[in-house]
Amino acid sequence: MSSKAASGIKRADARVAAPRRRALPLMIAASALLLGAAAEPTAVMPDGRPTPSRQPVPRWLSLKSDEVRARHGPGLDHRILWEYRAAGLPVQVIAETREWRKICDPEGAVAWVHRSVVSGRRTVFNRSHRELPLRAGRSEDAAVRARLAPRAVIALDQCRDGWCDLGGRKVHGWAPQSALFGVQDRALCDAGRPAGTGRAD
């Protein structure tokens, strides 16, 4: 605002100046909101198109039930490839349509599932064939509180400094982030791969 305009406001009649002074911060706030919205990055898929959900891809979700049908393509007219029987299993969304999610599972298999059968609830999976110690702190020297069975799912609270805080009220502890499926930032499967590939049957 120029000094001339500023001095003009100061000399204005009090009944006129007051509303103008109150409106100015509102206009500035509105402009800031508009600029913020314009500056906010758009979530895009690997091919550069915006995601229909406006959520980032890749991202982590979990299966809602122990009967989730994996399909060859995004639609009920596509054949069923297999059925997931593991409620809470973490899966990574690598592409999507408005109603369907292309996922990568712990075996590296790619399939399509309907958005209604997945949840934003975060979990992790011990995909090894060994028990995973859950420790009292973020250190290999910390006491073991519990052990996560092989091929087991557990709730994820947070990850910090290469360790993840797992479990709930009854079972709770830290495990190395590198030992878990469900916490990686990078895409674990190629979004261009056809559904039905990568599964070890």
Side-chain angles (χ1 to χ4, degrees):
M1 182 183 292
S2 69
S3 58
K4 184 176 180 181
S7 62
I9 290 175
K10 288 178 184 175
R11 285 196 298 267
D13 180 85
R15 287 175 296 175
V16 175
R20 289 178 68 184
R21 287 193 184 114
R22 283 198 299 269
L24 187 61
L26 291 176
M27 289 191 302
I28 292 170
S31 299
L33 285 172
L34 288 172
L35 286 171
E40 187 176 312
T42 305
V44 295
M45 289 191 285
D47 62 6
R49 289 178 298 139
T51 59
S53 67
R54 298 184 181 177
Q55 298 296 314
V57 171
R59 70 178 181 279
W60 290 99
L61 299 175
S62 59
L63 302 183
K64 282 185 179 179
S65 76
D66 57 4
E67 292 183 5
V68 174
R69 291 176 176 169
R71 294 186 180 268
H72 190 263
L76 295 175
D77 54 334
H78 289 274
R79 64 187 169 87
I80 297 170
L81 298 169
W82 56 77
E83 193 171 74
Y84 290 106
R85 296 186 173 273
L89 183 73
V91 292
Q92 188 181 50
V93 178
I94 54 173
E96 66 180 21
T97 67
R98 184 177 294 277
E99 296 294 323
W100 294 82
R101 307 293 179 252
K102 192 175 190 181
I103 61 168
C104 177
D105 71 20
E107 293 182 8
V110 174
W112 288 90
V113 297
H114 194 266
R115 68 182 180 90
S116 65
V117 300
V118 287
S119 163
R121 180 174 159 267
R122 292 295 302 275
T123 61
V124 294
F125 178 69
N126 176 14
R127 61 178 165 187
S128 78
H129 294 282
R130 293 181 293 180
E131 289 185 337
L132 182 64
L134 302 184
R135 300 185 179 275
R138 301 189 306 276
S139 166
E140 292 288 352
D141 299 325
V144 176
R145 284 182 167 173
R147 295 180 185 277
L148 182 62
R151 316 287 291 171
V153 171
I154 191 169
L156 169 66
D157 183 15
Q158 63 171 318
C159 292
R160 194 169 48 177
D161 302 328
W163 289 78
C164 295
D165 189 8
L166 309 176
R169 279 179 273 180
K170 292 184 179 179
V171 179
H172 175 76
W174 293 86
Q177 188 168 345
S178 58
L180 304 166
F181 176 85
V183 291
Q184 292 77 8
D185 293 327
R186 72 186 192 285
L188 300 183
C189 295
D190 180 0
R193 248 174 56 201
T197 58
R199 189 171 174 85
D201 289 321

